[in-house]
């Protein structure tokens, strides 16, 4: 996989933080934004969208991925995730939940870089293989 230029990563981090401002989280009050870089060079953003019927809500990461897929992009280079208490500027550690890891697995590979806010003012990267080892994916069927 071609390395992503530092400036592009910074752009993704900023886009994730910006998308976080659109979060609809009246129940958890934990606002998350995600920015997904498509192979086509486009950046797809998403935020968490909660629901009074809790399971009907969706995470920021899946919002971004589903937006991209619905617009015809199915291959991705990286994702950045920014999360923290609603209304606060500071970001906390925000790794993707298990469902989002599985959805990433559907459209990416083991080397897919997942950048997430580390709770120390920066972002940290783990590969999808680190976040979802021994995963079940399209090639398992
Ligand atoms: Zn999730």
């Amino acid at each position: 996989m071609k390395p992503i230029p530092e400036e592009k990563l910074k752009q993704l981090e900023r886009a994730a933080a910006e998308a976080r401002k659109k979060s609809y989280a009246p129940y958890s009050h934990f606002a998350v934004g995600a920015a997904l870089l498509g192979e086509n060079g486009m950046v797809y953003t998403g935020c968490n969208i909660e629901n009074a019927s809790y399971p009907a809500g969706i995470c920021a990461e899946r919002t971004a991925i589903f937006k991209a897929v619905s617009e015809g992009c199915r291959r991705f280079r990286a994702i950045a995730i920014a999360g923290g208490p609603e209304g606060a500027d500071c970001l906390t550690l925000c790794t993707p939940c298990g469902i989002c890891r599985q959805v990433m697995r559907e459209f990416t590979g083991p080397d897919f870089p997942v950048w997430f806010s580390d709770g120390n003012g920066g972002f940290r990267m783990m590969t999808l293989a680190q976040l979802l080892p021994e995963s079940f994916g399209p090639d398992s069927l």
Side-chain angles (χ1 to χ4, degrees), residues 3 5-6 10 25 29 32 54 56 68 76 81 93 98 101 112 117 120:
E6 184 67 25
K10 291 289 171 213
H29 302 289
V32 183
Y54 288 12
F76 307 109
I81 306 157
L93 177 67
R101 294 176 195 201
F112 181 67
S117 54
N120 293 312

Side-chain angles (χ1 to χ4, degrees), residues 22-111:
K22 298 187 175 72
S23 164
Y24 176 73
Y27 308 106
S28 73
H29 302 289
F30 192 82
V32 183
L36 177 68
L37 177 61
E39 281 285 357
N40 59 7
M42 296 276 292
V43 174
Y44 301 90
T45 60
C47 63
N48 57 331
I49 304 166
E50 295 182 350
N51 192 285
S53 175
Y54 288 12
I58 188 167
C59 302
E61 301 91 317
R62 277 178 289 144
T63 300
I65 293 167
F66 294 160
K67 279 172 67 178
V69 171
S70 69
E71 292 176 22
C73 183
R74 294 181 181 173
R75 298 179 62 85
F76 307 109
R77 295 188 60 198
I79 192 168
I81 306 157
E86 197 174 48
D89 285 338
C90 64
L91 301 174
T92 59
L93 177 67
C94 192
T95 55
C97 80
I99 298 172
C100 288
R101 294 176 195 201
Q102 184 64 41
V103 170
M104 288 176 197
R105 176 67 177 81
E106 186 70 21
F107 297 103
T108 71
D111 297 333

